[in-house]
């Protein structure tokens, strides 16, 4: 006789979960608590492996990896570009800092800029040193010595010194016209015999002339040791007076010394020989 449970399975209060073989069904009670080790049926269904979903995941994963790698590469590229862009800005900041230090030092050292400055009583002496490095006295003195010289050797030296002075005026005027750096704000425009480009500050023409003439005198004149020391002291005082009087900034004088030092090398390269001097002046050597 067949069992009543087999005829009417709905009366047992369970729900069919698994279909067994031989036409029999197993029932699981909904009221029976599940063990902690076994997950709920819904979770089993969600964690089940669907072939379509697996294929989609397999097809999407390389793309995502390529996308992530490309994004990482682009991030590295941007970082390199940012590094390249930072270099000019860093150089600009460094130059601005050096310029600020230069202006600060020049203002602090301008102690003879006017009569009521801290060293205002030394201002007349500094102006006398300033005139000693001016171009007009040097051009006039060199031309006079060239005219009064009796020997060809003396005229050769004076002629090359005159050529160096003219070269100094031209080069300094060109650089000043190109750079166009204004003189310090605490400067008083009471300089001796100024010209159009003299309103600009960079480089210091007195410093270039002092360096060039100092090297020239030490190389081509036979001077005793005390006189050689005086030449070096004069060149240094000319450059220092430019800052103390407030005429130039510190970098103007430093660059002027370097430029005058190089100008002497140029004069040596363009040196006029005695034969050239003879043909120019009509002298018999």
């Amino acid at each position: 006789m067949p069992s009543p449970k087999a005829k009417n399975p709905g009366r047992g209060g369970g729900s069919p979960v698994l279909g067994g073989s031989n036409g029999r069904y197993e029932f699981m009670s909904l009221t029976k608590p599940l063990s902690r080790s076994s997950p709920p049926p819904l979770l089993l269904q969600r964690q089940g492996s669907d072939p379509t979903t697996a294929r989609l995941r397999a097809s999407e994963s390389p793309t995502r990896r390529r996308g992530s790698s490309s994004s990482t590469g682009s991030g590295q590229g941007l970082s390199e570009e940012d590094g390249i862009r930072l270099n000019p800005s860093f150089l600009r900041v460094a130059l601005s800092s050096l310029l600020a230090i230069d202006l600060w030092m020049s203002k602090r050292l301008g102690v003879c800029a006017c009569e009521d400055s801290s060293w205002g009583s030394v201002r007349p002496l500094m102006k006398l040193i300033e005139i000693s490095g001016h171009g007009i006295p040097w051009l006039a003195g060199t031309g006079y010595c060239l005219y009064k010289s009796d020997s060809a050797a003396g005229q050769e030296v004076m002629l090359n010194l005159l050529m160096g002075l003219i070269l100094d005026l031209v080069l300094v005027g060109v650089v000043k016209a190109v750079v166009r750096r204004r003189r310090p704000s605490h400067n008083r425009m009471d300089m001796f015999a100024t010209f159009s480009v003299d309103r600009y500050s960079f480089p210091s023409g007195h410093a270039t002339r002092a360096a060039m003439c100092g090297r020239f005198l030490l190389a081509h004149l036979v001077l005793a040791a005390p006189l050689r020391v005086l030449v070096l002291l004069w060149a240094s005082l000319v450059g220092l007076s430019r800052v103390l009087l407030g005429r130039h900034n510190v970098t103007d004088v430093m660059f002027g010394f370097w430029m005058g030092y190089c100008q002497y090398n140029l004069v040596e390269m363009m040196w006029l020989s005695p034969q050239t001097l003879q043909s120019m002046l009509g002298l018999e050597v």
Side-chain angles (χ1 to χ4, degrees):
M1 183 175 179
S3 174
K5 294 181 180 180
K7 291 181 179 180
N8 192 3
R11 292 181 182 179
S15 60
V17 177
L18 297 175
S21 60
N22 299 326
R24 292 187 300 175
Y25 295 91
E26 295 179 1
F27 292 88
M28 180 186 299
S29 176
L30 295 177
T31 59
K32 182 179 179 180
L34 296 173
S35 61
R36 295 182 178 179
S37 60
S38 61
L42 291 176
L43 187 58
L44 285 173
Q45 293 177 3
R46 290 179 181 176
Q47 290 180 350
S49 59
D50 189 3
T52 306
T53 307
R55 285 196 299 269
L56 289 175
R57 289 178 179 175
S59 62
E60 289 178 359
S61 57
T63 307
R64 291 179 179 177
R65 281 194 290 268
R66 286 195 298 268
S68 62
S69 62
S70 63
S71 63
T72 306
S74 62
Q76 293 177 355
L78 289 176
S79 63
E80 293 177 358
E81 291 178 0
D82 292 340
I84 294 173
R85 291 173 183 173
L86 281 176
N87 290 332
S89 62
F90 176 77
L91 182 61
R92 207 175 300 117
V93 169
L95 291 177
S96 300
S97 302
L98 291 176
L99 180 61
I101 294 173
D102 177 37
L103 296 177
W104 176 79
M105 288 182 60
S106 304
K107 191 169 185 178
R108 296 279 294 180
L109 292 175
V111 293
C112 302
C114 54
E115 286 78 4
D116 55 352
S117 301
S118 56
W119 287 19
S121 58
V122 193
R123 182 177 171 83
L125 178 61
M126 292 294 106
K127 293 192 69 173
L128 182 62
I129 297 175
E130 176 186 37
I131 295 174
S132 70
H134 199 277
I136 291 179
W138 275 94
L139 288 171
T142 304
Y144 180 78
C145 292
L146 177 62
Y147 175 74
K148 288 293 184 179
S149 181
D150 298 332
S151 63
Q155 290 183 351
E156 177 186 354
V157 171
M158 291 296 107
L159 180 63
N160 283 278
L161 179 58
L162 182 63
M163 181 186 65
L165 291 172
I166 296 174
L167 180 66
D168 172 73
L169 290 175
V170 173
L171 292 180
V172 171
V174 169
V175 176
K176 283 188 174 183
V178 170
V179 178
R180 293 176 177 268
R181 185 183 188 183
R182 294 292 180 181
R183 291 189 181 270
S185 57
H186 55 281
N187 173 46
R188 291 180 59 186
M189 291 300 294
D190 56 350
M191 294 179 292
F192 171 74
T194 58
F195 298 95
S196 59
V197 294
D198 288 332
R199 65 177 180 270
Y200 301 122
S201 175
F202 186 88
S204 171
H206 284 69
T208 59
R209 194 173 302 110
M212 191 268 294
C213 292
R215 285 196 68 188
F216 191 97
L217 295 178
L218 293 176
H220 296 283
L221 295 183
V222 180
L223 300 175
L227 291 179
R228 298 177 73 89
V229 173
L230 284 178
V231 170
L232 293 175
L233 182 62
W234 166 80
S236 303
L237 286 177
V238 168
L240 182 62
S241 67
R242 309 310 291 158
V243 181
L244 296 181
L245 288 171
R247 309 294 197 200
H248 292 277
N249 297 306
V250 177
T251 51
D252 302 337
V253 177
M254 293 177 63
F255 185 84
F257 278 139
W258 177 82
M259 185 174 174
Y261 188 90
C262 296
Q263 281 178 1
Y264 173 77
N265 297 333
L266 188 59
V267 171
E268 288 290 332
M269 292 174 57
M270 300 171 58
W271 188 266
L272 296 176
S273 62
Q275 292 78 13
T276 307
L277 180 63
Q278 180 183 4
S279 61
M280 290 177 62
L281 300 179
L283 298 176
E284 293 183 1
V285 183

